[in-house]
Structure formats: C-alpha cells, structure tokens
Amino acid sequence: MSTPTNMIKPFSVNVPQQVLDDLKLRLNLTRWPDRITGSDWNYGTDLSYLKELTKYWQKTFDWRKVETEINSYPNFMADIDGHQIHFMHIKGKGKRSVPLIITHGWPGSFLEMMKLIPLLTENPYFSFDLVIPSIPGFGFSSKIIHPGCNSEFVADIWHQLMMELGYHRYGAQGGDIGAGISTWLSLKYPSNIIGLHLNYISGSYKPYIADGEQLSEEVLAFQKAGAEWSAREGAYAYMHATKPLTAAYGLNDSPVGLCAWIVEKFKGWSDNNGNIENTFTKDELLANITLYWITQTIHSSMRIYNENSKKPLVFKKNEYVTVPVGFAKFPKELPTPPRSYIERGFNIRHWTTMPAGGHFAAMEQPELLSKDITDFFSRLG
C-alpha cells in the first residue's frame, strides 16, 4: 500500500469549550410545548422522555469522553477536489486484511460504526483495513454549498479517497444513504470493487422494468406496504427532499428541537420493543446528536435528500451491479424490497435474514452485522 500524500493529514477532535457551554445555556432556556395527555410517542417525540434526555444532556453527558474515544483511533482529513473529508482509518491485524469503506446514513454518523471497529479489525486470520468516512455535510467533513452533492457525487469522492490511500481493490459496505453511495461505487467502479455488502436498499431503487411488464404479487405487496409506511412515517423525508432549509432554521438554533427530530427516528426505526433504551443508551444517543449540534450539519445532512431526489437510483436497461453482493436483512428495517426484486439490479451472492435488529444495525447488532460482513468477504477469495 502506498504512503498517503500530503493531501491527507492527521486529525483530532477538540471542540472549543465555549461551544459546549453555549449548548448547555440553550438547553436551560428551552421553551417546551404542550402535549395531549398520555399521547407518548404517537404525535412525535415523547415530551416526558425528551425532558428526561435533556436533563441528562445538561447534567451527566460528557462530550469529552466521546472525543477521547474518537481520538483513540487514527483520524484524518483528506482534501479531495477542494472538499475536506474526515475519515477514520484502522488497519486490520489479520494475516489477510481486506480494505473496506463503510458509509453511514441519516440521522446517523461515523459514530455508528465504533462498535464494529474491534470486531472487524482484530481477528488474527481475516480482518479489514477499515476506512470510515463522514459524508460531506455530516460530522467533521466540509459542507458542500453548491447543487449536486448526491450519493453518486459522494461515491466519486470515496473512490478518489481509496485510490489516494493506495487501495486499488476494496470492498464497500453501507446502510441507509450509505447503501446508495456504496451502490453507486459498485456501478461506476466495478473493476475496483471486490464486493458490496448492504444492510439496506436505497428507497429510490427501481430495477429496469420493460414497458408492459407485470410485477409479481410479492413486489406489488411490497410497494403497497412501502406507500403505507411513507404515509405514516415519511413526512421527514418529504421535508428533507423539498424544503430542508425551512426546517433547518429551527433545528440549527434549538438543541432540543434537533434532539427531538433525530431521537424520534432512533426510536421508530430500531428493534427496541417499545423502549428506545432497550437498544441505545442515553450516552450513545446524545453523542450522535451532539455531533450534529457542534458541527451545525443538520441542514447540510438533510440536503442530500433533496439532491438524491433529482438523481434517484433508477436502473436503465442493462444497468446492473455486477460485483458480488451480500445483503443482511434485519427484521425492524425500513420497508425492504423482496429478494426477487433486488436481484433484478444486484448480483446477490449472499443473503442473511437476521433474527434481531433494525435500521441502525451497526449500533444495534454489531456482532451480527460484523459476522455477516466477514462471512461474505472471506468467501470471495
């Protein structure tokens, strides 16, 4: 592997104390709304839980501990086409170690992948050289303030990053928006991609369907279920895809508003049996939310929905992911197409139906996800 050039520099996290002090002041000045008695989460984020979480944020949560954990791993900043891209780069300890770029989604961040790091890098026989970047406009990566920063655009940046690191053959893994970025990588650079592992299929995905072709009952049932889910739960996505800036004025100014917007998704999209803290600790939730707050990235992160809506993952005739694909299907994931529909656009070689877990698989079920990633790539030869 080649030595990184001077376009890649070491990076460490050290948020100015005044930013953290300002956060606590704003939390203390929160104006709380009313609610319908006993409504719990039915109208959105539960008021009682949000007050409890906010009190913990003020009194107990320690961002400096999060910084220490982040900085315990090698972090870097790469200048790619003038864009500053933050990424973690952890070399595997195995006799064989496969380069793997893992991409997060929204409302997550690179922090989602922290539990995967030891599981994927420390096996003495087969491991991964992990590259865990932050999507532009998320975390510590720079915001791109011109149109066109969609998943395909990010895939091009990722490929340049991997080439700069000396990885001319590498694997790609992702969920949520990361699944779309990883898919674009595989479509555009198939000779460089060893394999593609996904735990989600982009919501805009449509394989090529010939005019007049009848869809199967299985696919029609999925489309009906997906439409019903969107009617109940999809307001956030319509907002992000149409008028993200309007919502961002409030979310970028109120930490409790930001917290409510994000924590509702962690509650609704995870396998938690009705209690969010069955799956995530307060510290885990607040680490991710605080990252959005201190970097002021809520608008830039939402904006990718708008950009992706202009370039959906709709396959043309003869467009197909030819690289080997592994898929991990978690039971509480957002609506997922049937395998038969996915296979029309993806070269599925490995499929696992998981016993537990939801949308945030790397955080919820790191052992299950890491084992599936390892099983898939270790068999590719």
Side-chain angles (χ1 to χ4, degrees), residues 20-322:
L20 302 178
D21 292 343
D22 174 74
L23 168 60
K24 289 199 173 183
L25 175 63
R26 289 170 184 260
L27 291 171
N28 193 50
L29 294 175
T30 300
R31 293 199 312 173
W32 297 99
D34 65 353
R35 67 164 175 178
I36 292 177
T37 304
S39 56
D40 298 321
W41 294 81
N42 293 323
Y43 286 77
T45 300
D46 177 61
L47 181 62
S48 296
Y49 181 71
L50 192 58
K51 285 184 174 181
E52 177 186 328
L53 189 61
T54 299
K55 182 178 179 181
Y56 188 91
W57 205 358
Q58 290 176 290
K59 305 294 185 183
T60 306
F61 175 74
D62 185 354
W63 169 256
R64 297 303 183 195
K65 287 185 179 180
V66 179
E67 285 188 341
T68 299
E69 183 180 7
I70 295 169
N71 292 332
S72 71
Y73 294 106
N75 286 258
F76 300 89
M77 197 69 74
D79 185 327
I80 300 179
D81 292 340
H83 309 304
Q84 302 303 306
I85 303 299
H86 164 250
F87 67 100
M88 305 178 84
H89 186 197
I90 305 97
K91 305 284 187 66
K93 298 178 181 177
K95 292 180 179 178
R96 180 183 170 207
S97 202
V98 172
L100 180 66
I101 185 166
I102 299 184
T103 311
H104 64 85
W106 186 93
S109 65
F110 76 96
L111 294 175
E112 286 183 72
M113 311 307 168
M114 299 290 276
K115 292 179 183 177
L116 292 179
I117 293 172
L119 297 171
L120 292 176
T121 60
E122 294 183 0
N123 186 296
Y125 303 103
F126 182 86
S127 64
F128 296 90
D129 285 3
L130 291 184
V131 178
I132 306 172
S134 296
I135 298 170
F138 288 73
F140 300 107
S141 289
S142 63
K143 305 176 181 78
I144 295 179
I145 55 174
H146 59 71
C149 182
N150 55 34
S151 291
E152 181 185 12
F153 179 92
V154 177
D156 290 335
I157 293 177
W158 275 196
H159 182 65
Q160 289 185 60
L161 174 61
M162 295 303 278
M163 292 299 100
E164 190 63 31
L165 290 170
Y167 295 129
H168 295 277
R169 290 273 292 162
Y170 58 92
Q173 202 285 331
D176 194 69
I177 293 168
I181 293 168
S182 300
T183 297
W184 277 111
L185 266 175
S186 301
L187 283 169
K188 298 189 74 172
Y189 306 102
S191 63
N192 301 101
I193 303 299
I194 297 167
L196 169 65
H197 187 280
L198 303 174
N199 53 284
Y200 181 75
I201 291 290
S202 173
S204 68
Y205 164 68
K206 288 183 176 61
Y208 175 75
I209 305 292
D211 289 343
E213 180 180 349
Q214 297 296 311
L215 296 175
S216 69
E217 290 298 321
E218 185 181 38
V219 172
L220 291 172
F222 155 71
Q223 291 179 338
K224 182 175 183 289
E228 291 171 350
W229 182 90
S230 292
R232 293 192 312 271
E233 301 289 342
Y236 80 98
Y238 289 113
M239 174 63 80
H240 291 193
T242 54
K243 307 294 184 189
L245 182 56
T246 302
Y249 290 114
L251 300 177
N252 195 60
D253 193 57
S254 166
V256 166
L258 176 70
C259 183
W261 195 254
I262 290 176
V263 80
E264 180 206 303
K265 304 312 173 194
F266 276 82
K267 163 67 164 58
W269 297 351
S270 61
D271 188 3
N272 57 56
N273 198 31
N275 181 350
I276 190 171
E277 292 189 18
N278 286 338
T279 304
F280 310 108
T281 66
K282 286 184 174 73
D283 287 306
E284 288 171 340
L285 294 168
L286 291 171
N288 183 66
I289 293 162
T290 305
L291 178 64
Y292 276 86
W293 177 261
I294 61 179
T295 56
Q296 296 193 53
T297 47
I298 188 58
H299 179 229
S300 52
S301 69
M302 296 191 301
R303 198 160 55 217
I304 197 169
Y305 284 73
N306 183 281
E307 300 297 342
N308 279 340
S309 71
K310 302 165 189 171
K311 189 69 183 284
L313 193 65
V314 177
F315 287 15
K316 303 177 181 69
K317 188 175 183 180
N318 299 322
E319 198 166 24
Y320 184 77
V321 176
T322 58

Side-chain angles (χ1 to χ4, degrees), residues 2-14:
S2 65
T3 302
T5 69
N6 60 10
M7 69 171 283
I8 296 176
K9 297 179 180 179
F11 174 78
S12 62
V13 181
N14 184 19

